[in-house]
Amino acid sequence: MIKADVFMFNKFGIKVKVLLNSFVSVFIFAIFLVWLVNIYWGVLLNNKREKLQSIVELGSTLVDSYIQLEKKKELTKEEAQKRALANILALRYSNNDYIFISNTKSEVVLVPPKPEMTGKDMSNFADPTGFKIYANFSEVAKKSGSGFVEYMFPKAGSTEPVKKLSYIKYMPDWDWIVGTGLYMDDAYNALFDFMKILLFACVFCMIVLIFIGIYFSNSVIKPLVDVCQYLLSSSKTLSNKSDELKKSSGSVKSYSKEQESSIQTTAAAISEITSMIGKTTELTTNSANLANSISTKAVSGEVSMKNMITSMHSIHEASSKLKDIENIINEIEIKTQVITEIVSKTELLSLNASIEAARAGEHGKGFSVVAEEVGNLAHLSGKSSAEIHDLLQKSRDEVQHILAQTIERVEDGEKRTLKVSESFTEIVEGIKEINHQIDQVSSATKEQEIGVKQISTAMGKLDQLAFKNAEESENSLKVTDEISNESNNLNNIVSKTENVIYGFHKKAN
């Protein structure tokens, strides 16, 4: 039940709560005024009662003095009663109020304004409400000896009954009931006047409290509303920024993962390229060594060709010396075998160079052309060597026949030898150029290998940075979630503040 009351109270805003507090304060003040009215009425009633008691005590004291005179035999009972009635009849107070006397038989002994009522039986006399006045006087006198009696009785000169309070005291010696009464309208008028003053004070206090409550609630609500609106705006902005940051962090995380994957793929590719470049460097070095070897052998072949030219000149000069032809032919055959061997090796080296150039890819295309040309020249040299060998073989068998044609053949051989010498010279120059280019390719390959290694190192660092970036994006997402939670907490605080200001039924903006 208490929780339900608290809930009902909490659903109102500050202004309503302040006004309710004001009304509660006014209600409490009204209760206090009712209590104060009761106290005031009690005071008025006590004043009436004290006044009645004092007057009755005065009358009873006067009657008792005559009773004592009777007891002392100074006066007879009849004389004492007569004097006592005369003195009571002369007593007046306030607005001509008086003391009356009756007995337990409800008979009137003395009513100063109405002497004709003396001796009448008033046991059935009742006020407009049916209350038997004298019968109740007798009953109170017999039962308590004294007491107050309330009844309705019209004022003198009026027929409208008014509430009246009487106090009676029983004098058993003479069977007299001495009493007096006062109308209560003056007390009621005083009470009504007092209530008017209190009611005015209550209304005034209520109006003042309501205005103070409204002013106080407005003075509190306005800054709180401004604070709530500012907090709500900040909360919405913070929530939007948090959502944007969350999306951005998610995108950064996704991009970081993609970057990390790409970097790892690139690093693997660079590693493979580095390995291939290493192999290319090794093959280039081997090609350079092979080219150097071919160059050396080509130089040697050139020297041999020069020697052969010299020999051809000697043959031309010694054409007449037929006896030396066979020896010269043998010498030429031996030289031709050397040439054939050189040509064979040159073709083999050309083939290997072509294979290595093919392995080198784009960088070996130029070298492949040169190697092919070297192969062609070697093949041509081999062919020429074979022809020389055939000629020598025929010369050996047909020395006599060849003798006639020696000069012509020697000249032809000299020309061919010159051409071969020129070819070997060109081969040597070409191989030197190939050597130079291979050296440049080898240097460039080494530099590329160094650069690729540096790129690989940099990619490794980028991989680490991408991993750290992913971790930072994870942390950023966590911070974004915390910001979002704080934004929600701020919204809850704003909502609670609005509940305090407006209650559960928020005013529509």
Side-chain angles (χ1 to χ4, degrees):
M1 184 65 182
I2 296 176
K3 289 183 178 179
D5 294 339
V6 172
F7 177 79
M8 291 294 292
F9 184 74
N10 286 334
K11 75 177 184 178
F12 298 114
I14 289 180
K15 183 178 288 187
V16 177
K17 290 178 181 178
V18 171
L19 293 177
L20 286 176
N21 287 331
S22 300
F23 283 119
V24 170
S25 300
V26 170
F27 179 73
I28 294 173
F29 184 65
I31 293 174
F32 172 73
L33 293 181
V34 171
W35 175 76
L36 191 63
V37 166
N38 288 330
I39 291 178
Y40 184 68
W41 174 248
V43 170
L44 291 176
L45 193 59
N46 286 333
N47 289 336
K48 287 283 186 181
R49 289 178 175 179
E50 288 176 359
K51 185 176 181 180
L52 290 173
Q53 282 181 329
S54 61
I55 293 171
V56 170
E57 288 295 330
L58 177 63
S60 62
T61 301
L62 181 61
V63 170
D64 186 65
S65 64
Y66 285 103
I67 291 173
Q68 296 302 323
L69 290 174
E70 178 196 357
K71 287 180 178 181
K72 291 178 181 179
K73 304 296 184 180
E74 293 180 3
L75 294 173
T76 62
K77 182 176 181 180
E78 183 179 354
E79 184 65 25
Q81 288 180 347
K82 185 177 180 180
R83 289 186 180 183
L85 290 172
N87 289 327
I88 294 297
L89 182 63
L91 289 177
R92 289 287 188 275
Y93 65 92
S94 296
N95 296 324
N96 203 28
D97 289 323
Y98 54 88
I99 297 174
F100 62 86
I101 301 174
S102 64
N103 56 29
T104 56
K105 297 176 182 178
S106 300
E107 294 175 346
V108 174
V109 177
L110 175 67
V111 177
K114 297 180 178 181
E116 66 275 9
M117 293 178 61
T118 302
K120 285 186 177 182
D121 182 8
M122 303 294 289
S123 58
N124 292 323
F125 182 76
D127 65 5
T129 64
F131 182 79
K132 294 182 178 180
I133 301 174
Y134 287 93
N136 272 278
F137 288 162
S138 300
E139 183 178 352
V140 171
K142 293 176 181 178
K143 186 176 180 180
S144 303
S146 62
F148 294 95
V149 178
E150 290 184 358
Y151 52 93
M152 302 295 293
F153 201 79
K155 284 187 175 182
S158 175
T159 58
E160 183 179 356
V162 179
K163 192 172 185 179
K164 191 173 185 180
L165 177 65
S166 293
Y167 179 76
I168 54 97
K169 185 176 183 180
Y170 182 52
M171 311 292 294
D173 293 321
W174 288 354
D175 191 27
W176 279 6
I177 299 173
V178 179
T180 188
L182 292 173
Y183 291 100
M184 299 295 294
D185 57 342
D186 57 342
Y188 283 119
N189 291 332
L191 180 63
F192 289 149
D193 292 339
F194 183 70
M195 288 177 65
K196 288 179 183 178
I197 295 172
L198 291 182
L199 183 61
F200 174 78
C202 181
V203 172
F204 177 77
C205 290
M206 182 175 67
I207 294 173
V208 170
L209 286 174
I210 289 173
F211 275 103
I212 291 175
I214 293 173
Y215 175 77
F216 175 75
S217 62
N218 288 333
S219 63
V220 172
I221 287 173
K222 189 177 184 304
L224 284 178
V225 168
D226 294 338
V227 170
C228 281
Q229 291 177 349
Y230 176 75
L231 289 176
L232 189 60
S233 176
S234 299
S235 174
K236 290 180 179 178
T237 303
L238 184 62
S239 179
N240 293 332
K241 295 295 182 183
S242 174
D243 293 338
E244 293 178 2
L245 183 59
K246 197 170 185 180
K247 292 179 181 177
S248 177
S249 298
S251 299
V252 169
K253 183 179 179 182
S254 176
Y255 296 154
S256 297
K257 288 184 178 179
E258 292 179 2
Q259 183 183 11
E260 184 179 0
S261 177
S262 300
I263 289 173
Q264 289 176 354
T265 304
T266 306
I270 289 175
S271 178
E272 292 179 2
I273 293 171
T274 304
S275 177
M276 292 175 65
I277 289 175
K279 291 180 180 180
T280 303
T281 304
E282 183 180 354
L283 292 174
T284 304
T285 303
N286 293 335
S287 298
N289 294 332
L290 185 59
N292 289 329
S293 177
I294 293 172
S295 179
T296 303
K297 291 179 180 180
V299 170
S300 178
E302 185 182 13
V303 171
S304 298
M305 288 303 297
K306 287 179 180 180
N307 291 333
M308 189 176 72
I309 292 171
T310 302
S311 298
M312 291 298 292
H313 282 294
S314 297
I315 291 170
H316 187 271
E317 291 174 356
S319 60
S320 62
K321 295 179 181 180
L322 294 174
K323 290 182 179 180
D324 296 330
I325 289 175
E326 187 175 357
N327 293 331
I328 292 171
I329 290 172
N330 289 332
E331 236 174 85
I332 291 171
E333 187 178 5
I334 293 170
K335 298 296 182 180
T336 303
Q337 288 177 355
V338 172
I339 291 170
T340 301
E341 185 179 356
I342 290 171
V343 169
S344 177
K345 291 182 178 180
T346 301
E347 287 179 344
L348 181 61
L349 291 173
S350 175
L351 179 61
N352 289 332
S354 297
I355 293 171
E356 295 301 327
R359 289 181 180 177
E362 292 291 333
H363 299 289
K365 282 184 177 180
F367 183 72
S368 176
V369 174
V370 175
E372 184 179 359
E373 188 64 24
V374 170
N376 293 333
L377 292 173
H379 179 71
L380 183 61
S381 299
K383 183 178 180 182
S384 299
S385 177
E387 290 176 356
I388 293 169
H389 183 271
D390 292 336
L391 290 171
L392 288 175
Q393 200 63 26
K394 290 178 180 180
S395 297
R396 184 176 294 173
D397 295 335
E398 301 177 0
V399 173
Q400 295 297 326
H401 178 72
I402 296 172
L403 185 59
Q405 299 176 352
T406 299
I407 295 174
E408 184 181 357
R409 297 289 186 184
V410 168
E411 289 178 355
D412 185 63
E414 188 176 6
K415 290 179 181 179
R416 291 179 181 277
T417 304
L418 287 172
K419 288 182 180 179
V420 172
S421 178
E422 289 176 357
S423 298
F424 267 101
T425 301
E426 292 177 357
I427 289 170
V428 169
E429 292 297 328
I431 290 174
K432 287 181 179 179
E433 183 64 26
I434 289 171
N435 241 347
H436 178 67
Q437 292 180 1
I438 288 174
D439 288 338
Q440 289 181 346
V441 170
S442 180
S443 299
T445 304
K446 289 180 180 179
E447 290 178 357
Q448 287 178 356
E449 185 177 10
I450 293 171
V452 170
K453 287 182 179 179
Q454 291 176 348
I455 291 173
S456 180
T457 303
M459 292 301 292
K461 291 183 179 179
L462 283 175
D463 190 18
Q464 293 177 357
L465 290 175
F467 181 72
K468 291 182 179 179
N469 193 15
E471 289 183 347
E472 290 298 326
S473 64
E474 288 284 350
N475 295 332
S476 179
L477 282 174
K478 291 180 180 178
V479 173
T480 303
D481 290 334
E482 292 177 358
I483 292 174
S484 181
N485 292 331
E486 290 299 325
S487 176
N488 292 331
N489 292 334
L490 186 60
N491 280 328
N492 292 332
I493 292 173
V494 171
S495 178
K496 290 180 180 178
T497 306
E498 287 182 339
N499 289 337
V500 171
I501 295 174
Y502 304 117
F504 292 157
H505 300 292
K506 299 178 182 177
K507 70 177 184 178
N509 290 326

